[in-house]
Amino acid sequence: MTADETVERILGALATVDGLRPATPEAPWSTASAAVGLSAERVEIRLIATRLPIPPRLDRVAEAVRPVLAGTEWAAARLRLVVTDLDGAAFARPASQ
């Protein structure tokens, strides 16, 4: 599987987790794939939280992404999830898990 295919599958897995979305730079040409970085040592996913609480949602992202990485050159890489921002909408809804 190529890096681009892996990123797309990671984004697909991320879409299954409510309350987090890919953090993309504010530029007209940026895409959701800019939120994922792949290296031999680390897979980093930058996220924006849209719901609270954050820790259980990060656990769900890890559970969704690890199977995507299985069998790829990134299977042994450390998974790093970085919440770069908290969307104001997170405060407008009751916290739920």
Side-chain angles (χ1 to χ4, degrees), residues 31-50:
T31 64
S33 62
V36 179
L38 299 175
S39 74
E41 300 83 29
R42 179 172 68 197
V43 172
E44 181 173 294
I45 306 171
R46 291 166 296 286
L47 304 159
I48 294 175
T50 59

Side-chain angles (χ1 to χ4, degrees), residues 41-81:
E41 300 83 29
R42 179 172 68 197
V43 172
E44 181 173 294
I45 306 171
R46 291 166 296 286
L47 304 159
I48 294 175
T50 59
R51 306 241 1 227
L52 299 173
I54 296 171
R57 295 174 197 291
L58 293 175
D59 291 342
R60 279 184 244 152
V61 168
E63 291 168 3
V65 169
R66 272 291 164 205
V68 169
L69 300 175
T72 71
E73 62 186 277
W74 303 280
R78 186 171 62 109
L79 182 58
R80 182 170 189 240
L81 305 175

